[in-house]
């Protein structure tokens, strides 16, 4: 019901910044929560940040103070501003959506690669 497309990934040096974007289409009117996850080589997918329809946000401890999640409801887009990047942030980043009535995130984007060099 919801299609998600991420963009903005790339190669950056440690200490640099990137801004990821995720544009949603489809049943965006029923979106209750949007979030960002990441998966590093050899590791499981992990939670990064989320934003509710109310605007309330929540972050993983590993990114708190460095990353900021925001949204533009008119454009059906969620952003992840990443500052002070570290090599440990290297991963494929995915955006996800939870629709009204779902118990958890149910729709996922294709992912965008973020590589941080030292």
């Amino acid at each position: 019901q919801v299609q998600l497309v991420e963009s903005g990934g790339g190669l950056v040096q440690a200490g640099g910044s990137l801004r990821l974007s995720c544009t949603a289409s489809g049943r965006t009117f029923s979106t209750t929560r949007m979030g960002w996850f990441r998966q590093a080589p050899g590791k499981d997918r992990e939670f990064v940040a989320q934003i509710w329809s109310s605007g309330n946000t929540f972050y993983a401890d590993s990114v708190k103070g460095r990353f900021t999640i925001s949204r533009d409801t008119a454009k059906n887009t969620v952003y992840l501003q990443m500052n002070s990047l570290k090599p440990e942030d290297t991963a494929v980043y995915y955006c996800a959506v939870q629709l009204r009535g779902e118990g958890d995130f149910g729709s996922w984007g294709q992912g965008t690669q973020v590589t941080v060099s030292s």
Side-chain angles (χ1 to χ4, degrees):
Q1 296 293 332
V2 176
Q3 295 77 48
L4 304 173
V5 179
E6 303 101 330
S7 63
L11 176 63
V12 65
Q13 291 185 341
S17 299
L18 284 174
R19 190 194 197 198
L20 306 183
S21 299
C22 175
T23 299
S25 61
R27 289 185 60 198
T28 56
F29 64 90
S30 64
T31 299
T32 62
R33 180 170 56 152
M34 299 188 73
W36 288 96
F37 294 75
R38 66 187 182 186
Q39 186 168 22
K43 295 186 177 181
D44 293 331
R45 184 178 61 192
E46 66 174 338
F47 168 79
V48 176
Q50 67 182 16
I51 184 167
W52 295 91
S53 59
S54 65
N56 188 42
T57 60
F58 181 74
Y59 298 89
D61 288 340
S62 60
V63 306
K64 194 174 300 181
R66 299 188 298 121
F67 291 10
T68 302
I69 187 170
S70 61
R71 65 181 182 183
D72 185 333
T73 55
K75 296 181 178 179
N76 297 316
T77 300
V78 64
Y79 305 95
L80 186 68
Q81 178 66 48
M82 305 185 294
N83 298 327
S84 301
L85 283 163
K86 306 174 181 179
E88 306 92 271
D89 296 318
T90 295
V92 176
Y93 283 71
Y94 301 89
C95 66
V97 168
Q98 179 183 9
L99 301 179
R100 191 171 294 111
E102 294 181 331
D104 209 339
F105 293 100
S107 301
W108 299 83
Q110 83 287 352
T112 185
Q113 176 70 47
V114 172
T115 302
V116 184
S117 65
S118 59

